[in-house]
Amino acid sequence: MKQDTTVIIGAGPYGLAAAAHLNAQKTPIQIFGKPMEFWRNMPPRMFLKSSWSSLSLGDPSNKYSLNNFSKIHNIPRQEPVPLQVFLSYTEWFRQQTVPDIDQTYVKSLARDGKDFHLELEDGRSLNASRVVVASGIAPYAHIPDYASHLPSTLVSHTQDHPDFSSFKGKNVVVVGRGQSAFEAAALLSEAEANVELIARGPIVWINRRLYRYTGIAKRIFYPPSDVGPAGVSWLVAFPLLFMRFPEKTRLAIDTRSVRPSVAPWIRPRVEGRFTITPETSIVS
């Protein structure tokens, strides 16, 4: 590689967006990872919690937005957004902006003087002057301590299951109170499993009246990135401003903006379909 090459680790939404920006600047890059792998392992019938306006990947010209993709391919704007629409869009984005991806995993990353040294899983090694890490959240799947000693045949994480048909006729407890828990519970119920959802806190249904009933004025209250409550979401939308707040303030805004909550469109698929037990902690 050229000495001034920037390596990007990860080919999900953030890795692709970073690559698009660097390519536009004519910066030499090398990107490693399997495109959208985390998302492609999700159940095909899933929908996204995020709104349509917040799902465009970043490119400096805004030429490859979800809106432009939908116009070119005659796909109607819709909410909730099906996973398959999002995957089709990101594949189009990749083809337009980052066609050359090395689908090898990075095994290790270390400092090498002023540069970085990378070892790849296929035995190759390389040095790079800059590295962008966009490896995603898959490594952070968490099984609570009370269940961590149980075998994988009895306890698993939602991200382990692209298909829930094997749970037909089984009794399944889903632990959690966010979108992942509720959508997994809905898919399990629809696969004819006997489901109970247990949450250690209250169930928070997203209710954005100012978003739904104010027309174009909704942008006064919510930015297109659409993360967080009215007003506060504008602070979250400007990370270079957000980072200047004291740590205590940042943590408070973060806690309020990304707390466990559930999109209202899934409500008919869960209420009355199975038992929902809120504000209950599992001991063992």
Side-chain angles (χ1 to χ4, degrees):
M1 295 197 314
K2 296 179 181 179
Q3 186 63 29
D4 61 344
T5 296
T6 297
V7 166
I8 300 173
I9 303 174
Y14 292 100
L16 294 177
H21 278 269
L22 291 170
N23 275 335
Q25 296 174 6
K26 307 300 182 184
T27 300
I29 68 167
Q30 181 67 61
I31 179 170
F32 294 99
K34 300 185 187 301
M36 298 297 293
E37 180 183 32
F38 180 76
W39 295 81
R40 293 187 185 281
N41 287 333
M42 294 181 184
R45 291 174 51 233
M46 280 189 69
F47 292 86
L48 276 67
K49 177 183 178 183
S50 302
S51 64
W52 178 280
S53 67
S54 66
L55 290 175
S56 291
L57 274 61
D59 76 275
S61 65
N62 202 34
K63 184 178 179 181
Y64 305 109
S65 66
L66 179 57
N67 280 336
N68 288 343
F69 167 77
S70 67
K71 290 175 184 176
I72 292 170
H73 294 87
N74 295 316
I75 296 173
R77 184 183 178 116
Q78 54 198 292
E79 289 187 4
V81 181
L83 172 64
Q84 297 308 312
V85 169
F86 182 62
L87 287 175
S88 297
Y89 160 63
T90 57
E91 177 59 20
W92 173 78
F93 182 96
R94 184 193 70 79
Q95 292 173 357
Q96 304 301 315
T97 62
V98 200
D100 187 18
I101 296 177
D102 189 322
Q103 296 191 32
T104 308
Y105 293 125
V106 174
K107 186 178 180 180
S108 66
L109 170 67
R111 276 285 190 184
D112 186 10
K114 293 183 179 181
D115 296 328
F116 295 93
H117 181 76
L118 297 94
E119 296 285 344
L120 307 183
E121 282 204 340
D122 63 5
R124 287 178 291 159
S125 62
L126 58 136
N127 289 341
S129 57
R130 293 176 297 275
V131 176
V132 176
V133 179
S135 53
I137 62 173
Y140 303 104
H142 175 65
I143 301 294
D145 290 342
Y146 59 75
S148 60
H149 65 287
L150 296 172
S152 59
T153 53
L154 296 180
V155 174
S156 56
H157 195 276
T158 52
Q159 75 175 38
D160 298 329
H161 302 288
D163 176 51
F164 291 100
S165 60
S166 62
F167 290 94
K168 181 178 180 179
K170 295 183 178 180
N171 299 321
V172 184
V173 167
V174 177
V175 181
R177 60 190 180 105
Q179 185 71 21
S180 176
F182 270 81
E183 195 150 9
L187 290 168
L188 281 161
S189 177
E190 291 159 4
E192 300 182 38
N194 303 310
V195 181
E196 178 175 0
L197 185 144
I198 299 177
R200 63 183 176 182
I203 307 303
V204 178
W205 294 98
I206 297 172
N207 186 8
R208 293 179 168 177
R209 292 187 179 90
L210 292 175
Y211 184 90
R212 287 184 289 147
Y213 300 125
T214 55
I216 59 173
K218 66 185 178 183
R219 288 295 166 231
I220 297 174
F221 309 104
Y222 296 96
S225 53
D226 199 28
V227 176
V232 172
S233 57
W234 275 106
L235 297 178
V236 179
F238 291 92
L240 295 181
L241 170 64
F242 182 77
M243 66 182 292
R244 296 180 180 276
F245 287 101
E247 182 179 14
K248 186 176 180 180
T249 303
R250 293 201 312 271
L251 288 172
I253 294 173
D254 178 73
T255 299
R256 177 62 183 85
S257 298
V258 295
R259 63 180 179 172
S261 58
V262 194
W265 52 259
I266 203 171
R267 206 161 185 166
R269 293 172 58 191
V270 300
E271 289 189 333
R273 307 278 179 164
F274 50 81
T275 302
I276 299 174
T277 307
E279 301 189 78
T280 302
S281 295
I282 297 173
V283 177
S284 66

